Amino acid sequence: MARDTGFPVSDAGDDFARQRRRAEYARLIAWLRREPADVNTVLPFDDVVAALGRLGERRLGLQIIEVASIVGSVDRADDFDRRFRPTSARLRARWERIAAARRRGEAMPPISVYRVGPMHFVQDGHHRVSIAYAQGDRTIDAYVTEITTKVPAEGITARPDLVRKDHFRMFLGRVPLHGAAQDTIRVSDPWGYAELAEAVEAWGFRLMQDLGEYLTREEVARRWYEEEFVPVVAMAREAGMLRSRTDAEVYLWIASERYRLVRRHVWSEEIVDELRSRDGFGGSDPVFRGRIHRSRFVRG
């Protein structure tokens, strides 16, 4: 809790100075740890929504929200750090005026936020949020507008996560999976989504050639997942391959290695035995020491 000497103006000044020091300490610690420069920055609303793909919005009215869930801003991402500590002394006058009013017991109007998944982004009330953080408040009143997106917002902690979400959104545009099937597709390297999309499209093209008929993207995605992805991953897991990798990463590796071995899009026990005998299974395969090698990927 913030200190209270009984002099609101003086205490508000101390609050601001304390939050500025904490912001500088956090920036210095991040630098000493060689962390990315944006590790402590507020998430920008427009960038997050663009990465996730905006579908629509709806007003939810006045609600009580967790202060800790407020991690972003609509238009003032440079004025505060990730915990809404002021990043510049130029915010002092207004910040201290509102903080002093808060200490005198004056009512604070609700803030306005956008909700994206579990996260909230401030539209109006940045100083009130900053003061709530400084005072150690757990909740705050807010008018909430919920944004619906194509890709779930869970898992976003910093700006680099937006690249992964953006690639996943583009993958779903090419391979429209839904529900549990969609949740299964996860890769650590964002470019893996592009490679996987090309694999699915190539598989779908071969399927349409065999059937002699046109299939929609939705039908190709469904059949690829059920007839190719699930059986191949199950086969790889049973053989004990790449236990530390996600199902999608396992599929990408084994599919590309299979073609490199036999130059055909077929499966057999002999192929699985050959792949299983290769060095590196269990997580140390050199293919996965950085990112999946694009040069080995089959583009059907």
Side-chain angles (χ1 to χ4, degrees), residues 14 16 31 34 77 141-142 164 213 286 294:
D14 291 341
F16 183 85
W31 181 81
R34 299 296 188 266
D141 293 337
R164 177 173 49 82
E213 62 180 88
R294 295 189 185 88

Side-chain angles (χ1 to χ4, degrees), residues 26-27 30-31 34-42 81-82 158-160:
R27 186 181 63 83
W31 181 81
R34 299 296 188 266
E35 294 176 340
D38 58 3
V39 68
N40 282 320
T41 59
V42 169
D81 71 4
R82 187 60 181 272
R159 293 194 188 196

Side-chain angles (χ1 to χ4, degrees), residues 1 29 47 117 124 148 158 243 293 299:
M1 295 293 295
I29 290 172
D47 291 352
D124 178 64
T148 55
R243 295 185 179 89
H293 287 185
R299 288 180 168 77

Side-chain angles (χ1 to χ4, degrees), residues 81-102:
D81 71 4
R82 187 60 181 272
R83 293 184 60 80
F84 275 83
R85 294 171 291 216
T87 58
S88 170
R90 66 183 178 83
L91 304 177
R92 178 185 293 275
R94 186 179 179 188
W95 199 101
E96 291 184 1
R97 184 170 64 252
I98 296 174
R102 158 77 185 269

Side-chain angles (χ1 to χ4, degrees), residues 128-148:
R128 280 165 277 165
V129 172
S130 181
I131 292 164
Y133 265 106
Q135 294 288 329
D137 294 346
R138 295 179 61 87
T139 61
I140 190 171
D141 293 337
Y143 291 108
V144 180
T145 299
E146 184 178 51
I147 305 297
T148 55

Side-chain angles (χ1 to χ4, degrees), residues 171 175-185 196 200 203 218-233 247-248 251:
F171 168 82
V175 186
L177 295 170
H178 304 282
Q182 181 183 121
D183 296 338
T184 304
I185 307 301
L196 189 57
V200 176
W203 186 90
E218 287 76 12
E219 183 65 13
V220 168
R222 183 189 65 80
R223 294 192 60 168
W224 168 80
Y225 182 79
E226 296 175 356
E227 301 173 19
E228 168 80 353
F229 181 81
V230 172
V232 170
V233 171
D247 288 351
Y251 176 83

Side-chain angles (χ1 to χ4, degrees), residues 204-205 207-216 219-220 223:
F205 175 78
L207 176 62
M208 286 187 281
Q209 291 288 303
D210 292 341
L211 297 176
E213 62 180 88
Y214 171 79
L215 298 177
T216 65
E219 183 65 13
V220 168
R223 294 192 60 168

